[in-house]
Amino acid sequence: MLFRAACLCSARIRAPEPVLRGHGRSYGSRYFLWERESRLARPVPVDIRVSVTVQQILSQSGNQRRHFSSWPSVREKLLSVRQASVLRYRIPFTLFSELCSLSTAYTQSGAPSEKHTGNMPTCEPFERLPKSVVPRHYELLLQPNLKTFVFHGKETVQVEVKEPTDKIVLNALDLSIKQAEYVCADGSLKPVSVVLSAENETLTLCFSSALPVGEGKLTLVFTGELNDKMKGFYRSKYTSPSGEERYAGVTQFEATDARRCFPCWDEPALKATFDIALRVPLKKVALSNMPVVSERELTPEEGRALVVEGGGKDEGEGGGGGGEEMQLRELRFSRTPVMSTYLVAVVVGEFDSIETKSGDGVLVRVYTPVGKAEQGQFALDVASKVLPYYKDYFQIAYPLPKIDLIAIADFSAGAMENWGLVTYRETCLLVDPENTSAVRKQWIALVVGHELAHQWFGNLVTMEWWTHLWLNEGYASFVEFLCVEHLFPEYDIWTQFVTETYIRALELDCLKNSHPIEVPVGHPSEIDEIFDDISYNKGASVIRMLHRYIGDEDFRRGMNTYLTRHQYGNTFTEDLWAALEEASCKPVGAVMSTWTKQMGFPTVRVAEQCQEGPSRRRLTLVQHKFCADGSTKGDSPLWMVPLTFSTSKCPDKVAHQMVLEGRTADVVLENVSNDEWVKVNPGTVGFYRTQYPSEMLAQFVPAIRDRSLPPLDRLGLLDDLFALVQAGQTPTVEVLRLMEAFGAEEDNFTVWSSISNCLGKLGVLLSHTDFQPLFYAYGRRLLGNVAARLGWDQRPDESHLDTLLRSLVLGRLGWYGDEGTIAEANRRFKSHASGEKLIPADLRAPVYKLVLSSGDQTTYDTMLKLYREADLHEEKDRISRALGAIKDEALLKRVLEFAMSDEVRSQDTVFVIISVAMTKVGRELAWSFLRENWQVLLERYQGGFLIARLVKSTTENFASEEKAQELEAFFREHPSPGTERTVQQSVETIRLNAAWLQRDKDAIHSYLSSVA
């Protein structure tokens, strides 16, 4: 799912405009969602610990380089970890992290592994569903009423009773069970009790005697609400071309919300096939995972039959009101492959569509709001090319006869990979040639690539449990870039991967309140928190590192083995390593387990360099865990680090490669003269920071200025140095000096994105001082030349990256108070607002922010008028996320009120509030607003990714111990399941900001004064 998307908008300020990142649920992000009312009392934690070091793993592998999961002793321990999640009482996160930190120490002496000691709250009691009765096939009939927001359902589930039991336990939430019956060879049985548990999200059917082992059929009749929470089977509001407010029925089931639509075994490993039928009004479009196989109009009596069977009234409840809405038809869809419940999908509403066939014969359709079919053309073109590309890459054909992509008005994530029916936010699918920016179009290509990658990696082969979520999200987040690089080489997308994926993961993973890629989860309230930059971005980054380590040919062969061997089944991470190890004959399991089973990453420090003769360079390397607070421990965990090196002789080629297996190692590079530079981690592929001695850094400066050092290496040097600055290992003044070395000649968008990220973080930090104007003057000098080169107007032969760079540079230059830029922005906005000359879509976001930042009540009112007139959701999104740039406190309060109004969709509310928190004057206002409206926000979102994002972005830019304590106190009194880790990360970040400010404030002030 695409969660991670939800959030390019916040503190990063890296993209020229906010972009929703999402996957599968995602920003998915994801790239966020579960409310859980009351919970069982927390038990005494169970302390179960497993410790396996890399030394032990390698000692068992010998020279055979076999995958470690095949070793009985280690496999046994891994299984004990998995089984721990099904204990009657779940193990607290701190113990689980210890339990799962396999392969965390590899030294010749067997150094101990570092234990995670974050103060995570005690986990909620949880147990997975019993396996005594499991589903094999569902026959599911749903009849939604889009007027009363009630749906009626009936299902017959073919089950297998694997051992005698007098109860059937499955998942259900927010449903009313009207009838229940079990039929087997012994006859028909009615349950003696039907118990729904909101706490456990289960339905328990108890029978008077044990059910016999064998096959049977469970029939249930039920009703539920088409809710407004964007989860389960919910209602999505839209406006018809005639201006009438209407609703569609939409499903969003990942991770654990299929149970809100129909009683089911709602765990990814409990796969089954599905025959789905829908009863809907005659003129509504109805879609599901598979193609329609039959369709018939129902008589009024047939239309009311399911309602009456479920105990409803016999009048007006058939399909959604009176008149034409009462005339129903029934559509039956062909049987699905074996699949997990979270991938089931149905949509009922009014849509237009366009279609084509992919090169390999798959029907591809894009569904859009009525009257906007042409806005689906770009996504259709991308999707029809993506399917054949993946077929060739995986050497496995897409297994369904059709794939639908549909734009949904109300959608919490960025997109969701339902098999055969992928749902998207409108802003992640629709392209209006006149109003869609280049960065948004690029983003849509990535999202389409991401979701279609899931059709293989996630749908065809599915993780066994949410602990292995990264197998879905990390891999899809990597492959989307492979795909877009193939389709759009002009995007230079792999360079952008570093700034938007790799660096984001490093920034989160250095916190003490991060988590391993494989994090044990149990209760649904925990799952949403791992749809984050670790599962998506770190997962993608370590797969990219692995891809470099074993090579593309072996990588592709291993992927084919993995998908073929496990198709229609469920897997653990170790199954992936086994396939890749088999293909490459390299110790993939031993290397990669150090990256997935322990939190964090190393710094590889060049402790010493020595020139041995005219053409031989010796480097001494040391690895330590990198921590955001700069702390180091002699016994910190170790990683098996694939290292590469380049030299100034051939900057674009790898001169040497090795695996750093211990704490230290020496490497000798031949044909390197005394005046040549040596770069560790060329291409910024390895997931680690690099620290150089001052004399090595000095050698890079001329190569930065003349750009002989490749772009990925220029930005990698800067970002590594900036991370060391934040950790207190290097003075901030050093990074200010290095950025000046880029200065006049730098022309690469991704390098400027990295510079912009550094400037953004420094700007937030210095907003807590009285000398921020000095920093703004520094920024204007740094950005002036590149802004002058690019100008305001696009050139006919301009590259895609220059278009992105113009928006980035002009936006930041104006934010730093450049009078000419602000004046030009206001002039262009005046023409735009009057309709005289529209601002190009690529410049609207920065122009809107600059105009608002220098604007007044009239400006605000004009912007609201444009918002209300906009028909494209992307434009509404752009305007609403710019509103927080206004500086008047009274108007900012109005922005916050507007965010909660009916004019803003719930999916967008949090981002409007976040826009206020991005400025010094708005930060305190947004935090106060969040606290005052906390209960309302909780009721609206019921936990999950959006509320977690709101907490993070409204709080993490404070910089005092007082604020850290204030945050802790508030959330101690107002707990919210699913945001605990987010709160702890914010508190940690606030304290890191405070320490950084205290440490370097005076030196920064002195330097900025000296260069003013």
Side-chain angles (χ1 to χ4, degrees), residues 505-510 538 595 599-603 624-627 639 687-689:
L506 289 171
E507 289 174 346
L508 177 58
D509 205 29
C510 64
K538 183 179 179 181
W595 297 94
M599 189 176 74
F601 57 88
T603 296
H624 283 281
K625 182 179 180 182
F626 180 82
C627 295
W639 287 259
F687 194 74
Y688 54 88
R689 297 290 187 189

Side-chain angles (χ1 to χ4, degrees), residues 589-645:
V591 171
M592 295 308 295
S593 61
T594 67
W595 297 94
T596 63
K597 293 185 181 300
Q598 65 183 0
M599 189 176 74
F601 57 88
T603 296
V604 175
R605 180 170 62 89
V606 181
E608 184 181 354
Q609 72 163 340
C610 176
Q611 190 72 27
E612 300 178 342
S615 61
R616 181 184 174 95
R617 184 82 57 86
R618 179 182 297 276
L619 304 179
T620 299
L621 307 175
V622 181
Q623 66 157 307
H624 283 281
K625 182 179 180 182
F626 180 82
C627 295
D629 63 359
S631 61
T632 58
K633 295 181 180 179
D635 64 346
S636 75
L638 294 175
W639 287 259
M640 295 185 70
V641 188
L643 294 177
T644 53
F645 304 83

